[in-house]
Amino acid sequence: MSFEQFGLSEALLKAVIDQGYTKPTPVQQQSIPLILAGKDVLAGAQTGTGKTASFTLPLLHRLAENFDIKQKPRIIRALILVPTRELALQVAESVKVYGCHLPLRAEVVVGGASISQQTRNLRHGCDIVVATPGRLIDHINQRNINLSQIEMLVLDEADRMLDMGFLPDIRKIMALIPKQRQSLLFSATVSNAIRSLAVQLLNNPVEVAVSRPNATANNITEQVYGIAREYKRELLSYMIGSNNWQQVLIFVRTRHGADRLEQQLIADGIRTTALHGDKTQGARNKALEQFKNGKVIALVATDVAARGLDIDDLPHVVNFDLPQVAEDYVHRIGRTGRAGASGTAISLVCPEEAYLLAQIEALLKRQLPRVADTGYEPVSLKVLDAPKKHVPNKTTGKKDYRHSKKPTARTGTAKPGGNAGRRNSRGR
Ligand code: AMP
């Protein structure tokens, strides 16, 4: 199948050729004809499948078909809701790229950026708004935006929006847009909660489901290192240095953990930056830019901040902490091995996280390959009877790990050497 067969306008076909796309991806093959035919669509598709183009191309086609050049100011006819600022910027960039030969204008409405500038842009008029729910509500409350003429609605990464507690905001927004519209819901996972959202938002939807081709099977090498928590950072620095990695995305659980690891890696001589929700939009953009252009080697990120990042050909992903939600494992490692490129996804797992590993493996229905010789004394990743909770120690009041094993000592015969040695040998 080719893009020409969809009946997309010349302007869009030209943009697709400019991008070097030769044939539509599976989600594009399934979704584009349905959306062009005016159907509501519920699509189960992750980042990396080409999902953005699968809704952006037909959306632009439909809007351009009935575009009235004389309409001044422009009225907002399409709303794309996404969970994070980064994803909003990326989707808006796709709208711009695919719509570069069309007269349509898009605005981005996200938190962390000047609301007055956004207000001016909105007053100036646009055809498409790409928004995160919170800031959109701010504009609604300030009467800066009119959603009464919306013809097309897209909810992208809807599962993440629910995880982030956006359901009340989504309901509020829905109450302001016309019932008569075309709605598209994209979600990496199609859970019962997503189905129930679909029932509320979509009209007789057609369901489309694709998995990222070979996502976790062929082109991504997955490895689990069983290692005591306190040696994780040392092992990570060693991996980066000894393998001469030039670009690695590292996932941690908390914002604080991201900052701490950033500092530790910098102290190990590794050019590192962190990306998390406590950073200003400017700092987040800068971190991403530095990572993309190679100024930093390592980007330490939390799940929320990393959601939707589109970094092509990312060779290495490391789970420094395992995700609390098993599905996030799939999102995380989906950052590597895109578009058929090969990648490695390494998980550093301490005994306290064994139950999280078990949950991931239950979701994937397969065991992740263990690295037998980690260079450290082996630790058991057997699941103990219950998930461990951080509980205060009765006598000291300090946090304690129930069931946690005593830290294993390094054998001394292991690969990792001292930090200084590695730093010097890497010349950093
Ligand atoms: P997405 O799933 O929207 O995050 O897209 C993932 C990546 O695939 C992006 O870098 C797109 O530019 C790229 N892409 C989208 N559609 C195609 C296609 N038909 N052929 C090749 N690459 C594509």
Side-chain angles (χ1 to χ4, degrees), residues 51-111:
K51 70 177 170 63
T52 316
S54 77
F55 63 77
T56 309
L57 289 171
L59 179 143
L60 289 168
H61 180 96
R62 299 207 74 198
L63 294 183
E65 259 184 342
N66 302 312
F67 179 71
D68 180 1
I69 192 91
K70 292 195 215 87
Q71 174 69 48
K72 296 257 166 53
R74 291 164 185 243
I75 47 173
I76 303 168
R77 296 167 59 207
L79 173 64
I80 305 175
L81 279 179
V82 301
T84 64
R85 306 163 196 180
E86 281 77 14
L87 186 59
L89 296 177
Q90 278 169 17
V91 170
E93 181 59 27
S94 296
V95 171
K96 200 167 132 199
V97 165
Y98 302 135
C100 65
H101 304 296
L102 293 171
L104 300 165
R105 189 185 297 150
E107 288 299 341
V108 184
V109 162
V110 290

Side-chain angles (χ1 to χ4, degrees), residues 55 59 63 76-82 107 109 127-132 136 140 145 147 150-156 173-174 177 182 184:
F55 63 77
L59 179 143
L63 294 183
I76 303 168
R77 296 167 59 207
L79 173 64
I80 305 175
L81 279 179
V82 301
E107 288 299 341
V109 162
D127 310 280
I128 302 159
V129 166
V130 185
T132 48
L136 183 62
I140 290 170
I145 195 162
L147 300 178
I150 295 286
E151 298 163 29
M152 296 184 79
L153 167 77
V154 182
L155 258 75
D156 192 14
I173 295 162
M174 290 313 118
I177 66 175
Q182 183 177 15
L184 315 170

Side-chain angles (χ1 to χ4, degrees), residues 3 21 23-25 28 46-52 310 312 338:
F3 279 102
Y21 303 166
K23 67 184 198 35
T25 65
Q28 291 163 1
Q46 299 166 27
T47 305
T49 54
K51 70 177 170 63
T52 316
D310 179 21
D312 288 336
R338 285 198 180 191

Side-chain angles (χ1 to χ4, degrees), residues 40-43 153 155 158 162 167 170-171 174 181 183-187 189-207:
D40 280 11
V41 171
L42 167 59
L153 167 77
L155 258 75
L162 295 188
L167 190 56
I170 293 172
R171 290 218 173 96
M174 290 313 118
R181 59 166 196 258
S183 308
L184 315 170
L185 196 150
F186 282 74
S187 183
T189 46
V190 181
S191 60
N192 288 341
I194 288 293
R195 283 188 193 285
S196 122
L197 185 67
V199 169
Q200 296 167 54
L201 299 189
L202 307 183
N203 178 22
N204 201 12
V206 183
E207 207 169 320

Side-chain angles (χ1 to χ4, degrees), residues 174-299:
M174 290 313 118
L176 299 171
I177 66 175
K179 289 211 164 28
Q180 190 70 30
R181 59 166 196 258
Q182 183 177 15
S183 308
L184 315 170
L185 196 150
F186 282 74
S187 183
T189 46
V190 181
S191 60
N192 288 341
I194 288 293
R195 283 188 193 285
S196 122
L197 185 67
V199 169
Q200 296 167 54
L201 299 189
L202 307 183
N203 178 22
N204 201 12
V206 183
E207 207 169 320
V208 162
V210 293
S211 56
R212 226 157 56 75
N214 304 328
T216 57
N218 294 335
N219 56 335
I220 302 178
T221 307
E222 291 166 280
Q223 291 180 324
V224 168
Y225 282 71
I227 178 142
R229 192 185 292 274
E230 69 256 43
Y231 295 129
K232 281 189 180 187
R233 194 269 309 146
E234 193 178 270
L235 177 59
L236 175 62
S237 290
Y238 173 75
M239 277 179 182
I240 296 172
S242 61
N243 295 308
N244 198 14
W245 285 353
Q246 293 304 311
Q247 201 181 35
V248 53
L249 178 58
I250 302 158
F251 285 96
V252 293
R253 198 164 52 81
T254 65
R255 297 165 184 198
H256 177 66
D259 284 336
R260 192 176 47 218
L261 186 60
E262 177 193 21
Q263 292 314 314
Q264 289 171 334
L265 293 180
I266 289 172
D268 282 349
I270 295 164
R271 297 195 305 275
T272 305
T273 191
L275 187 79
H276 58 68
D278 277 348
K279 299 224 166 190
T280 62
Q281 189 58 40
R284 290 161 76 162
N285 292 346
K286 188 172 163 211
L288 189 56
E289 207 38 53
Q290 287 182 321
F291 186 55
K292 280 187 171 183
N293 65 24
K295 283 215 173 87
V296 298
I297 287 173
L299 179 67

